């Protein structure tokens, strides 16, 4: 039987994905070899083997593939995607300087829209079906409106985490224009787009952020905050949140790398969650990726990619980097004690859970998404690539997702039962429009900065490396590296 065509996926027809290795991420179902998933409307109807289905069902041959829940990114600065890769060689200080001190004010509402659309497209393309847009570039309500319009134009599931890096959160969160924005766009529950407040706590003894937390409480909104970031947010911020009663299960702590034990204990006791952006933390300098500490305190973990202005934007990279960083730290700690690690504590299955159910829990949607459970929303991803030598054999499914698969292996994506990607091609996505809009943003920012500043931000100064004197001499070399004289050591 020929493969179904995109036109076959109509709202009135159930969809059966047949014969996959099913990573349900539901302990009651587990992993199914040669498993099936039946989708009807926006819901998962059945998960099992050799399912009987209606004659009119669209049948997708998933043999040789891995079927898993859509992934959830809990912290992505989507608006920055329009300048993808610009800061590949930045430190965190240079990032702050670019956006907070110098050029963040250049971004127009149209630029927020362009970045959000491109970011949302690439998330869906990589099997990330739900993204928290940590949107701290919203200088005005008009910027916020552009962010919402972009997210609603896409077939993904999103959370707008509203923020403003150029304004005080206790002011903008209580401004009448912001309150009107919330009323107009978020007055009714929406499973496809919800709202959080995004702001950081400085540690100022006066605790000016109190007003922002009170606004979040009044509006019944979760809060997401960068915590434990070296040189920026400290244990004082956690202490002040605790002392004023604002640490709750509805707070997500992004990075959480450089905190003291007491702060981790407070997060754990309050039911908060951590969003770990390992590629970011390893490169920018927030601190060592903290999962090895979070696990010991029982703090729930989700994964995130942070920003495409620096790094990749898929959760395959996040899972791989996180598992490797956690294990590396376990080895380093053991070696410092003169010991050898003989069993890994963190497993591939744990990291896949963080990328799916972990994210769903963090945003309070674990009753709807995060696992392939009958009755949940049909957000799912089929990894299948018959042309890739890395996609067979599939012996350890969770390990295969973490260490072998990548965005190029994403064959099919459904969000809320809607076909978003099929046979490695996006469906119903205007990529050319996105390309045109982003090109206009790049031209605008480039012109606003000027040529010299533009070039300097891509080629920051390289500090001099001081070479350590070497008492050993093995050979003398010509400039081309060929030994010309051997000497005694």
């Amino acid at each position: 039987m020929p493969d179904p065509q995109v036109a076959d996926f109509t709202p009135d027809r159930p969809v059966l994905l047949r014969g996959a290795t099913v990573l349900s991420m539901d302990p009651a179902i587990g992993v199914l070899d040669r498993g099936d998933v039946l989708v009807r409307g926006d819901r998962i109807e059945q998960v099992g083997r050799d399912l009987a289905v209606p004659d009119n069902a669209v049948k997708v041959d998933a043999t040789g593939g891995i079927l898993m829940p859509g992934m959830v990114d809990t912290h992505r600065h989507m608006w920055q995607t329009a300048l993808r890769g610009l800061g590949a060689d930045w430190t965190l200080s240079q990032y702050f300087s670019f956006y907070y001190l110098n050029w963040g004010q250049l971004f127009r509402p149209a630029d927020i829209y362009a970045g959000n659309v491109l970011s949302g497209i690439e998330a869906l393309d990589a099997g990330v079906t739900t993204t928290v847009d940590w949107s701290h570039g919203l200088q005005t309500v008009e910027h916020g409106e552009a962010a919402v319009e972009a997210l609603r134009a896409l077939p993904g599931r999103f959370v707008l985490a509203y923020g403003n890096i150029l304004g005080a959160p206790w002011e903008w969160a209580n401004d009448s224009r912001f309150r009107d924005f919330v009323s107009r766009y978020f007055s009714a529950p929406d499973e496809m787009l919800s709202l959080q407040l995004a702001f950081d706590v400085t540690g100022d003894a006066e605790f000016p952020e109190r007003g922002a937390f009170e606004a979040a409480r009044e509006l019944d909104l979760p809060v997401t905050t960068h915590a434990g970031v070296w040189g920026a947010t400290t244990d004082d911020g956690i202490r002040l949140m605790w002392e004023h009663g604002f640490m709750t299960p509805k707070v997500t702590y992004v990075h959480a790398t450089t905190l003291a034990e007491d702060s981790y204990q407070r997060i754990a006791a309050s039911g908060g969650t951590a969003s770990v952006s390992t590629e970011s933390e390893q490169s920018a300098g927030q601190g060592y990726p903290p999962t090895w500490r979070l696990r010991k305190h029982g703090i729930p973990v989700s994964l995130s990619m942070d920003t495409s202005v620096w790094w990749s934007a898929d959760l395959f990279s996040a899972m791989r980097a996180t598992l490797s960083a956690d294990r590396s730290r376990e080895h380093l700690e053991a070696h410092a004690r003169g010991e050898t690690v003989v069993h890994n504590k963190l497993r591939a299955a744990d990291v896949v859970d963080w990328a799916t159910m972990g994210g769903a829990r963090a945003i309070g949607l674990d009753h709807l998404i995060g696992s392939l459970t009958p009755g949940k929303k049909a957000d799912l991803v089929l990894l299948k690539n018959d042309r890739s030598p890395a996609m067979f054999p599939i012996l350890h499914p969770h390990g295969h997702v973490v260490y072998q698969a990548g965005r190029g292996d994403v064959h099919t994506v459904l969000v809320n039962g809607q076909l978003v990607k099929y046979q490695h091609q996006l469906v119903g996505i205007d990529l050319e429009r996105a390309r045109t809009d982003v090109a206009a943003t790049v031209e605008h920012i480039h012109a606003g900065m000027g040529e010299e500043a533009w070039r300097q931000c891509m080629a920051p100064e390289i500090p001099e490396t001081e070479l350590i004197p070497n008492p050993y001499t093995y050979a003398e070399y010509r400039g081309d590296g060929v030994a010309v004289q051997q000497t005694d050591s």
Side-chain angles (χ1 to χ4, degrees), residues 72-74 251-256 264 267 271-278 281 289-304 315 318-319 322-323 326 346 349-363:
V72 181
D73 185 327
T74 55
V251 179
T252 297
Y253 303 85
V254 178
H255 301 308
Y264 290 119
I267 294 172
T273 63
S275 177
V276 176
S277 305
T278 301
E281 291 138 16
T291 55
W292 64 290
R293 302 182 72 181
L294 299 172
R295 290 189 289 106
K296 296 174 183 178
H297 289 280
I299 297 172
V301 175
S302 63
L303 301 183
S304 57
L315 288 192
M319 288 185 284
T322 301
L323 186 56
D326 191 291
L346 188 65
D350 299 322
V351 180
V352 177
D353 179 82
W354 292 347
T356 53
M357 279 300 295
R361 295 185 196 102
I363 60 176

Side-chain angles (χ1 to χ4, degrees), residues 77-98:
H77 304 299
M78 295 177 66
W79 64 288
Q80 297 176 352
T81 304
L83 297 186
R84 178 194 310 285
L86 184 72
D89 292 320
W90 288 350
T91 63
L92 191 61
S93 297
Q94 289 162 334
Y95 169 87
F96 288 153
S97 176
F98 184 92

